[in-house]
């Protein structure tokens, strides 16, 4: 009895001034090659997150690691997340702290 899991991207959208990448996926579970379950899953990628240590007030930027994304998502990231977009997004987040 072999249970497998397959993820298929069914839609990608580039949204907003900071080029958030919305990804809609089907996660398909199969048992012995027969589909047993299908789940729609949506996720959003941003160029970075920014956090602030409330004790030291140190602000830290953590850049998105897209190395494990499918090639089609990497291609979109490389196209739309220009240095200007990444810097603008980081500044926007820091201004919200």
């Amino acid at each position: 009895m072999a249970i497998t899991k397959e993820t298929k991207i069914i839609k990608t959208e580039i949204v907003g001034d900071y080029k958030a990448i919305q990804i809609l996926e089907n996660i398909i579970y199969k048992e012995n090659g027969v589909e047993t379950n299908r789940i729609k899953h949506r996720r959003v990628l941003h160029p970075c997150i920014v956090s602030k240590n409330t004790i030291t007030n140190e602000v830290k930027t953590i850049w998105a690691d897209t190395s494990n994304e499918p090639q089609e998502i990497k291609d979109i990231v490389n196209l739309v997340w220009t240095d200007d977009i990444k810097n603008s997004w980081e500044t926007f987040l820091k201004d919200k702290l």
Side-chain angles (χ1 to χ4, degrees), residues 8-69:
K8 288 186 179 181
I9 296 172
I10 56 175
K11 187 176 188 178
T12 56
E13 299 172 308
I14 301 163
V15 181
D17 294 337
Y18 305 108
K19 310 299 183 206
I21 301 170
Q22 295 185 147
I23 304 163
L24 181 61
E25 301 168 319
N26 273 336
I27 301 171
I28 303 162
Y29 294 91
K30 294 180 180 180
E31 186 172 338
N32 296 324
V34 177
E35 183 176 322
T36 58
N37 196 11
R38 179 180 294 244
I39 301 167
K40 284 195 189 275
H41 178 255
R42 180 176 293 276
R43 57 195 179 96
V44 180
L45 301 178
H46 294 282
C48 68
I49 60 172
V50 173
S51 64
K52 182 177 183 180
N53 184 314
T54 56
I55 298 170
T56 65
N57 286 328
E58 177 188 7
V59 176
K60 185 175 184 179
T61 300
I62 302 166
W63 294 98
D65 178 6
T66 59
S67 61
N68 291 326
E69 293 293 339

Side-chain angles (χ1 to χ4, degrees), residues 8-12 69-77:
K8 288 186 179 181
I9 296 172
I10 56 175
K11 187 176 188 178
T12 56
E69 293 293 339
Q71 188 60 48
E72 66 184 288
I73 300 302
K74 290 179 188 176
D75 292 344
I76 294 169
V77 164

